Amino acid sequence: MNAAPTLPQEQLDGEAISAVLDRRRRRRIVIGVVAVMAVAAGGAVVVTYDRNSGQTDPIVTVPTGTVEVTEGTLVARTSVSGTLGYAGSYTAVNQASGSYTYLPPVGRTVSQGDVLYRVDEKPVVFFMGTVPMYRDLDRDLKGRDVQQLNAALVAAGYDADGRLEAGSSRYTWATASAVRDLQKHLHVERTGRVSKSDVVFAGTSKLRVASLAGQVGGSAATGSAVLTGSSTDRHVTVGVDASLQSRLKAGEKVTLTLPTGKTVDGAVSSVGTVVTKTSSGGSQITVIIKPSKTSDTGRLDQAPVGVSIITESVDNVLMVPVNALLALLGGGYGIEVVEPSGVRKLAPVELGLFDDTAGTVQITGNAVAAGQKVVVPTT
């Protein structure tokens, strides 16, 4: 719980409001030597009283309205900065010799079975897989590299007769048949074999080109990086204070604010366990957040975003807008309740959890109940 401080009676009650509410980025601040809230018709008059001169001086009339005390779940959030980008990082290593005659533009998305680049006009195809092409593949070979080739051929639609087993780790006649279908599509010799210079594997089904290491016309050296890429999945990387690790769990909902000002929903994907030091000497962990809809995030890469993360919640509590609070001269806080008869009275309350995003606060008190109308400023 975020407990509110209790201020000495002789301290300004405008300062009391400022001390609690301005600290939480609230809008309502009343300044005076001693402040008294006098209810007027349709509004409230803030009056200051000078102890030295004994003079009172009304300084402002605040229009007011009413809202109801509500009951439900209240959450506390922390706002942090994150970076919106694309998940995963993959490096395509060239195994062909010659000159680059085609390279994809940065930002292009390449699907399985598509040409990723060309060396001396010979196409190099992209497939999904985690084992790099370290050997030529042909009939009767078996291994993890063969299994991922079989799976990729099936996923890319090159199993014309439907007899290739995606989970098989053996290079069979069905594999050779699917490879010939691929070679026919690429307009190259239909050998049924795959040279290690023919294919690049990366651990995603769609590779988004992030940067180029080679250039068209440049030398395609064997074993050199030609480009780096990512998946097309969007995610936000956030550095969060390490003290919050135990409160954050995968699946928890968050709100993202994009550079455009648009807000989108998201959820915690993973919570890091490695603690790093910040430039200010603090400790933080890395949290990965996945937007609910990738299409809502636009196409910006490495863009700064605001992230509102729930750090605490309480159920079945009474709550009011923070600007309904009044600092009492004797210390503590209250709300102005409007009875069914229209009579207004001051009800002392204890403060609990604050929701900085919604602008609400948990309250408890003998004289308050759900559904009661309370006075709030309307400006």
Side-chain angles (χ1 to χ4, degrees):
M1 296 292 180
N2 295 327
T6 301
L7 299 181
Q9 179 172 351
E10 62 271 20
Q11 196 163 352
L12 306 183
D13 100 314
E15 292 177 351
I17 294 177
S18 178
V20 175
L21 305 189
D22 185 50
R23 178 172 60 85
R24 300 180 182 279
R25 301 183 300 279
R26 307 307 181 192
R27 299 185 182 89
R28 185 163 174 248
I29 301 174
V30 180
I31 301 174
V33 178
V34 175
V36 180
M37 186 70 73
V39 177
V45 177
V46 179
V47 179
T48 60
Y49 173 72
D50 190 323
R51 296 181 189 273
N52 296 323
S53 66
Q55 306 255 336
T56 60
D57 182 22
I59 57 173
V60 64
T61 300
V62 181
T64 61
T66 60
V67 297
E68 291 187 353
V69 177
T70 57
E71 183 175 8
T73 299
L74 187 143
V75 297
R77 296 175 171 88
T78 185
S79 296
V80 294
S81 298
T83 302
L84 173 65
Y86 292 87
S89 179
Y90 311 99
T91 300
V93 177
N94 171 63
Q95 297 293 349
S97 296
S99 299
Y100 293 119
T101 52
Y102 165 76
L103 291 171
V106 172
R108 173 71 57 82
T109 297
V110 183
S111 299
Q112 289 201 77
D114 289 349
V115 175
L116 183 59
Y117 62 95
R118 292 177 183 270
V119 175
D120 292 348
E121 284 299 273
K122 182 180 178 182
V124 179
V125 174
F126 157 68
F127 277 137
M128 179 178 176
T130 57
V131 181
M133 283 292 288
Y134 64 94
R135 60 176 177 171
D136 297 336
L137 299 178
D138 202 350
R139 289 286 297 271
D140 299 328
L141 288 176
K142 61 181 180 180
R144 290 192 301 143
D145 53 347
V146 175
Q147 188 278 321
Q148 70 182 14
L149 174 64
N150 287 335
L153 288 167
V154 171
Y158 289 110
D159 179 26
D161 53 18
R163 296 186 179 183
L164 179 59
E165 297 180 15
S168 172
S169 60
R170 184 177 293 277
Y171 202 113
T172 65
W173 66 268
T175 306
S177 177
V179 169
R180 281 192 289 270
D181 287 343
L182 170 63
Q183 291 169 334
K184 178 181 179 181
H185 174 74
L186 297 174
H187 303 291
V188 297
E189 184 181 1
R190 299 175 64 189
T191 64
R193 301 185 301 274
V194 179
S195 168
K196 70 176 183 178
S197 62
D198 292 339
V199 174
V200 167
F201 284 103
T204 179
S205 60
K206 290 186 177 182
L207 183 68
R208 178 184 176 275
V209 179
S211 65
L212 297 175
Q215 60 182 359
V216 174
S219 175
T222 301
S224 63
V226 55
L227 58 84
T228 60
S230 69
S231 73
T232 57
D233 294 332
R234 300 288 258 161
H235 75 177
V236 174
T237 305
V238 183
V240 176
D241 192 281
S243 64
L244 298 176
Q245 184 191 41
S246 61
R247 300 182 187 180
L248 297 175
K249 293 180 175 57
E252 289 192 6
K253 305 300 182 184
V254 302
T255 302
L256 306 173
T257 303
L258 304 180
T260 59
K262 179 181 179 181
T263 59
V264 299
D265 295 330
V268 174
S269 176
S270 65
V271 180
T273 57
V274 177
V275 176
T276 59
K277 292 294 183 181
T278 65
S279 58
S280 60
S283 299
Q284 67 177 22
I285 56 173
T286 299
V287 175
I288 303 298
I289 294 168
K290 184 176 181 180
S292 298
K293 292 183 179 179
T294 296
S295 58
D296 289 343
T297 61
R299 301 181 65 182
L300 294 175
D301 192 10
Q302 299 303 301
V305 295
V307 184
S308 178
I309 300 176
I310 295 174
T311 56
E312 194 173 352
S313 66
V314 286
D315 299 322
N316 304 317
V317 297
L318 300 179
M319 64 190 86
V320 294
V322 174
N323 62 359
L325 297 177
L326 298 172
L328 305 180
L329 291 177
Y333 298 86
I335 57 175
E336 190 176 2
V337 177
V338 181
E339 296 183 334
S341 63
V343 174
R344 299 185 180 188
K345 66 177 184 179
L346 194 62
V349 294
E350 296 291 331
L351 308 186
L353 200 64
F354 282 80
D355 182 346
D356 288 334
T357 301
T360 54
V361 59
Q362 175 190 355
I363 59 170
T364 55
N366 295 330
V368 294
Q372 284 181 319
K373 293 186 180 298
V374 297
V375 177
V376 294
T378 56
T379 56

